[in-house]
Amino acid sequence: MKQGQCPDCGSAEVFPIEVNRHQGGSIFVRLRDTYSLKRIELITLACGDCGLIRQYAAEDTKTRNHLRRAFIRPPEGPR
């Protein structure tokens, strides 16, 4: 959807929706190294044809760094 096309129906009628941060426009993540909470702003996009709604984290370096520090990755290698 970030490329302007709906993955469900293929429509190019994709629009951003303004969502208040207190009503679902952001999430909190806990950083594994400092145990602090960080707010991650979300971008909400909706398809005007089928109604699909998706949210994405903002694409800036600071946000990506916070997400990397928050996620627990499984160990690499055979299971």
Side-chain angles (χ1 to χ4, degrees):
M1 287 187 84
K2 291 188 285 185
Q3 290 79 22
Q5 185 173 6
C6 177
D8 253 14
C9 69
S11 172
E13 297 291 315
V14 175
F15 304 100
I17 297 175
E18 187 174 328
V19 179
N20 185 304
R21 69 179 353 181
H22 301 294
Q23 296 175 329
S26 65
I27 59 171
F28 282 100
V29 296
R30 182 172 302 280
L31 304 183
R32 292 183 302 130
D33 52 358
T34 61
Y35 298 105
S36 62
L37 289 175
K38 294 293 182 184
R39 183 188 301 267
I40 304 290
E41 298 297 325
L42 299 175
I43 298 165
T44 305
L45 300 175
C47 176
D49 286 336
C50 72
L52 178 70
I53 296 174
R54 289 212 174 153
Q55 289 185 309
Y56 299 93
E59 293 187 358
D60 58 85
T61 306
K62 185 176 180 180
T63 298
R64 295 293 183 198
N65 186 33
H66 289 326
L67 289 173
R68 278 190 211 95
R69 292 170 55 199
F71 294 144
I72 298 173
R73 291 179 178 79
E76 302 263 339
R79 292 184 178 200

